[in-house]
Structures are given as structure tokens and as C-alpha cells.
Amino acid sequence: MAEDAQVKLARHERRYQALQMRIAGVSNAVIAQRLGYSSPQLVSKDITTALKKAAKQEAMAAEELLTLEINRLDRMMASVWPRVLKGEVNAVEAALKIVNKRASLLGLDLINRNGAADNDMASLLGNMLLQLQQRHNVPDPETDVILEAEVIQGAIEYDDAGGEA
């Protein structure tokens, strides 16, 4: 078992050395000779494998960072949202900055607005807010009151001056 780990480590180190040598401009034939490869083609294959692995790791790291940043923005929005609903100007400005940053990170600012109605920015932001509230179990008392309110049927009566009676 320990031998397998040593073999893997040796392979990894040789692959890393081959990649560093290739980056420095050393030919595959010279790398094969110096590092004990049986052919320049195997050097090329190892270098390609190393580059693919590095690209995959970088993409995974970028995805993790994006998730971390989105979660931070979600928490910020959850903390600001109750004050936004009360109409506090500073909170509204903060929320707009959060929305803009989130849109930028997710590419929402690049959406084709000529698409279907469900794909417009307002729908996306509304869905985002619902997901945010559900994810963080943030009650929205203003919305809850609106949803529980009774709808009054009938016309609004106006007085002679044009105001509501």
C-alpha cells in the first residue's frame, strides 16, 4: 500500500518536472532522456495530463470561490432586506449594490432581455429573493401580511374633488 503511494508520488513529481521543463522551453525528446521517459510522446501525454489536471483544479477552486461569494451576498441581503421593506434609503442602496454584484458574478447582467417573460431581470430577482428567504429562513413580515390580507371587491368611490371618499 505504501509502495503505491510512493509510486504515485514519484509519477506526480516526474510529471511536475516535465511540465516545468517544457514551460522553460526544453523539448520533449530532451525531457524524455533526462527524466527517464521511454519516448517524447509519453512526455507530451504526461504534460497534457498535468495541464488538464491543473485546469480542472483551477475551475473547481473558482467554482468554490463563486459559491462562497454568492453565499456572502445572500447573507448580506437577508440582513438588509427587512430595512429595505421599511423604505430605509441606505438599506435600499445597499440592496441595489448587492443585487448588482450578484448579477455581475452570475452573469445575469448579460441576459438577453428580448427572451421569454420568465427570464426578465425582475422575475429572476424575485425568484432569487424567494430562494434567499427560504435558504436562510428569513421571515418577511411585510409580504406575509400582504399575502394574508383579504381582497376587497368593488369599486373605489371618489368625491367631487377627485379624491377617494
Side-chain angles (χ1 to χ4, degrees):
M1 201 66 147
E3 196 170 319
D4 287 339
Q6 288 178 347
V7 170
K8 286 181 181 181
L9 181 59
R11 185 181 322 123
H12 175 74
E13 287 177 2
R14 183 170 89 159
R15 189 175 285 156
Y16 177 77
Q17 288 176 339
L19 178 60
Q20 294 305 310
M21 291 173 74
R22 189 68 189 114
I23 289 171
V26 178
S27 73
N28 287 346
V30 173
I31 294 171
Q33 182 182 17
R34 289 192 184 163
L35 296 181
Y37 282 91
S38 60
S39 71
Q41 292 78 15
L42 287 178
V43 171
S44 179
K45 182 179 177 185
D46 250 8
I47 290 172
T48 300
T49 299
L51 290 173
K52 285 180 180 178
K53 195 172 197 177
K56 184 177 180 182
Q57 288 172 344
E58 187 171 323
M60 288 170 51
E63 188 65 31
E64 288 177 22
L65 181 58
L66 177 62
T67 300
L68 176 67
E69 291 301 322
I70 295 300
N71 286 337
R72 284 180 181 156
L73 292 172
D74 286 349
R75 287 191 304 273
M76 287 181 217
M77 184 63 89
S79 69
V80 169
W81 193 250
R83 294 183 316 160
V84 169
L85 292 175
K86 292 177 184 174
E88 294 180 21
V89 174
N90 290 341
V92 171
E93 289 173 354
L96 286 173
K97 288 178 183 178
I98 294 168
V99 166
N100 286 332
K101 185 62 176 178
R102 183 185 178 93
S104 174
L105 287 173
L106 295 175
L108 297 176
D109 53 344
L110 304 175
I111 290 177
N112 179 358
R113 295 187 183 172
N114 296 326
D118 288 345
N119 291 332
D120 68 353
M121 188 60 81
S123 296
L124 290 169
L125 292 176
N127 289 334
M128 177 190 75
L129 175 61
L130 289 175
Q131 291 172 1
L132 170 69
Q133 289 172 334
Q134 290 169 350
R135 183 181 307 154
H136 296 284
N137 295 322
V138 176
D140 188 351
E142 304 274 337
T143 304
D144 293 342
V145 169
I146 292 170
L147 293 175
E148 293 173 4
E150 291 182 33
V151 176
I152 301 172
Q153 299 288 330
I156 298 175
E157 295 182 20
Y158 292 93
D159 61 17
D160 293 336
E164 291 182 33

